[in-house]
Structures are given as structure tokens and as C-alpha cells.
């Protein structure tokens, strides 16, 4: 495996650090939601919607289970951090035929 940028031990350390960061962010979000709920700044319905929105990401992790995909259109710069993307450029093909090809 000469194409790996680092060995397995380093890879495991990086994976562990990423998991810790995700957990810290998740805990921080929970604390913010709890404070907002305690201050009655958010309704129960809004809190439930926030929980669902927190599940959406443009950059899935290796251990994430992908259930659905939501197509997003935008400028290239806004989507550069997305893991999966397609850049559509004008050409000789009809629009509908080109979109069918992409999907």
C-alpha cells in the first residue's frame, strides 16, 4: 500500500480525533439547544426540526450511513467542500438530455 499518505497507526489516530471532534460539536449543540429551551426561546416543534436539520451534511464521514441524497444547486465556490458534486457546463447537448445523463 504505497499510495497511502500515512501508516495505519496515524490513520487510526486521525480517525479517533475526528470522532472526538464530532462528539464535542454534538455535545455543544445539545447544550445550546438546552439553554434555548430553558429560556423558552424555541418551541418544541422548532427543537424537533433542528434535530432533523442537524442530521444533514454535505460532507459525509466514512462511518455515516447514507439514507437519502438531496440535490443542491449553487455556485461552484459554495459547493467546493461537498464530497459528491457535478459541475454542469454548457455544451452541444440539449439540457434535458444532459440532466438525464447526470442522474
Amino acid at each position: 500500500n504505497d499510495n497511502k499518505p500515512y501508516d495505519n497507526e496515524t490513520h487510526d489516530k486521525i480517525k479517533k480525533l475526528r470522532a472526538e471532534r464530532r462528539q464535542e460539536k454534538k455535545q455543544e449543540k445539545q447544550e445550546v439547544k438546552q439553554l434555548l429551551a430553558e429560556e423558552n426561546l424555541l418551541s418544541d416543534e422548532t427543537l424537533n426540526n433542528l434535530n432533523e436539520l442537524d442530521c444533514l451534511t454535505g460532507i459525509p464521514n466514512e462511518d455515516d450511513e447514507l439514507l437519502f441524497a438531496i440535490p443542491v444547486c449553487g455556485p461552484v465556490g459554495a459547493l467546493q467542500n461537498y464530497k459528491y458534486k457535478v459541475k454542469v457546463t454548457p455544451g452541444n447537448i440539449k439540457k434535458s438530455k444532459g440532466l438525464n445523463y447526470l442522474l
Side-chain angles (χ1 to χ4, degrees):
N1 294 337
D2 295 334
N3 58 355
K4 280 190 176 181
Y6 38 77
D7 60 15
N8 286 337
E9 184 178 335
T10 306
H11 179 69
D12 291 341
K13 286 180 183 178
I14 291 171
K15 200 171 182 179
K16 183 179 178 183
L17 286 172
R18 287 180 179 162
E20 288 173 2
R21 278 193 218 133
R22 281 194 306 270
Q23 186 62 32
E24 288 171 3
K25 285 183 180 181
K26 193 175 187 179
Q27 185 177 0
E28 186 177 308
K29 285 181 183 181
Q30 287 298 99
E31 290 172 3
V32 168
K33 285 179 191 175
Q34 184 178 1
L35 288 172
L36 291 172
E38 287 173 2
E39 298 294 325
N40 292 324
L41 297 175
L42 295 177
S43 66
D44 290 338
E45 182 180 345
T46 305
L47 282 173
N48 289 336
N49 290 340
L50 285 176
N51 288 334
E52 290 178 22
L53 286 176
D54 288 340
C55 296
L56 300 176
T57 181
I59 310 166
N61 297 310
E62 290 178 14
D63 56 339
D64 287 344
E65 181 181 347
L66 300 179
L67 302 175
F68 303 98
I70 300 174
V72 177
C73 295
V76 174
L79 304 175
Q80 74 185 41
N81 290 333
Y82 279 50
K83 186 172 183 177
Y84 303 104
K85 56 188 170 270
V86 174
K87 183 176 180 179
V88 180
T89 57
N92 297 337
I93 196 169
K94 289 185 177 182
K95 288 180 187 178
S96 60
K97 198 172 191 179
L99 288 175
N100 286 335
Y101 175 75
L102 291 175
L103 298 175

